[in-house]
Amino acid sequence: MPVEAIFPTPIYYGVVDNLDNISREIDAALSKTNFSYKPEWGTTHHMSDPSFSQNFIVDNNLTTFQDTLQQHMQQYFNEMGCPKQCTYKIKSSWSSLFKPRDFGHVHAHGYNDISGVYYHKTNNHDGDIFFLSPNTHLATSYCYEHTHWVWEHKPLQGKLLLFPSWLQHGIKTNETEDERISISFNIVVER
């Protein structure tokens, strides 16, 4: 008898096909951006808007990025079996700057539907994103303790990740001397 993966956690990843255009658009927005820490988090990493009151993608009119995101969102919806005409809104977005020794603590993105990250600038070794299994009981059984409790994903320039907003995740420490810049966002699907 086959084994079925019941209750899967859908994580999507793809690489954009118009990297140069998106990079120019984001670089223009970043040239007007001041980064700072979120005081409650301490000195983990720098953000364009630690208050989460702005919307980096929408406020900077990143239309090329938004068009590309739409294509990847549709692929994600298709893979999950969502209705063909799912519409959504980018509820919040920000840019993150990870300097050497910066990291991202384990967190989730609240009452949103889908969250994502786009890697704008990376050397591919400056801090993997990791996801914690939502099944906290895997380690309690000998049969399943070998299954992955943590799943890591390497950053790659132009890579886009989409995942359920409730999924706990964090970013490993940037052990390189380079800086990494990513764009993170939260999406709400229209009902």
Side-chain angles (χ1 to χ4, degrees):
M1 296 218 128
V3 174
E4 290 192 38
I6 307 298
F7 311 123
T9 303
I11 298 176
Y12 171 91
Y13 59 94
V15 178
V16 301
D17 58 6
N18 53 351
L19 180 64
D20 291 339
N21 292 336
I22 290 174
S23 293
R24 278 192 293 276
E25 187 176 70
I26 291 174
D27 283 340
L30 289 172
S31 70
K32 305 177 283 187
T33 301
N34 293 316
F35 289 94
S36 59
Y37 290 114
K38 183 170 179 65
E40 305 91 270
W41 293 352
T43 56
T44 59
H45 63 284
H46 302 76
M47 300 172 62
S48 61
D49 177 30
S51 71
F52 299 106
S53 61
Q54 299 170 356
N55 194 325
F56 185 84
I57 295 169
V58 175
D59 295 347
N60 286 292
N61 199 28
L62 303 182
T63 56
T64 305
F65 179 79
Q66 289 180 66
D67 291 345
T68 301
L69 176 60
Q70 171 64 39
Q71 296 167 11
H72 288 269
M73 286 293 297
Q74 192 57 55
Q75 289 177 351
Y76 189 43
F77 289 145
N78 291 345
E79 289 293 322
M80 290 190 301
C82 290
K84 295 280 186 210
Q85 297 302 319
C86 273
T87 55
Y88 64 87
K89 174 183 168 186
I90 300 172
K91 185 177 175 189
S92 58
S93 63
W94 59 96
S95 179
S96 295
L97 171 63
F98 286 80
K99 293 183 177 185
R101 283 11 111 219
D102 283 357
F103 66 96
H105 66 280
V106 174
H107 64 285
H109 288 224
Y111 296 100
N112 300 288
D113 293 312
I114 297 169
S115 294
V117 62
Y118 172 77
Y119 295 102
H120 175 64
K121 177 185 171 189
T122 178
N123 65 17
N124 307 340
H125 304 287
D126 42 20
D128 294 0
I129 189 170
F130 61 91
F131 297 94
L132 300 181
S133 172
N135 186 343
T136 57
H137 303 288
L138 286 173
T140 65
S141 170
Y142 177 77
C143 296
Y144 304 106
E145 67 184 3
H146 68 281
T147 59
H148 295 286
W149 173 247
V150 175
W151 186 71
E152 295 181 15
H153 219 286
K154 285 205 166 300
L156 172 71
Q157 186 178 6
K159 182 188 280 184
L160 176 69
L161 289 172
L162 303 169
F163 51 91
S165 296
W166 49 259
L167 185 61
Q168 294 279 317
H169 60 285
I171 299 91
K172 292 185 136 191
T173 302
N174 178 1
E175 300 289 354
T176 74
E177 294 305 313
D178 296 324
E179 296 180 345
R180 185 181 77 237
I181 298 176
S182 56
I183 311 298
S184 298
F185 50 89
N186 293 317
I187 286 174
V188 174
V189 177
E190 292 182 11
R191 275 45 176 178

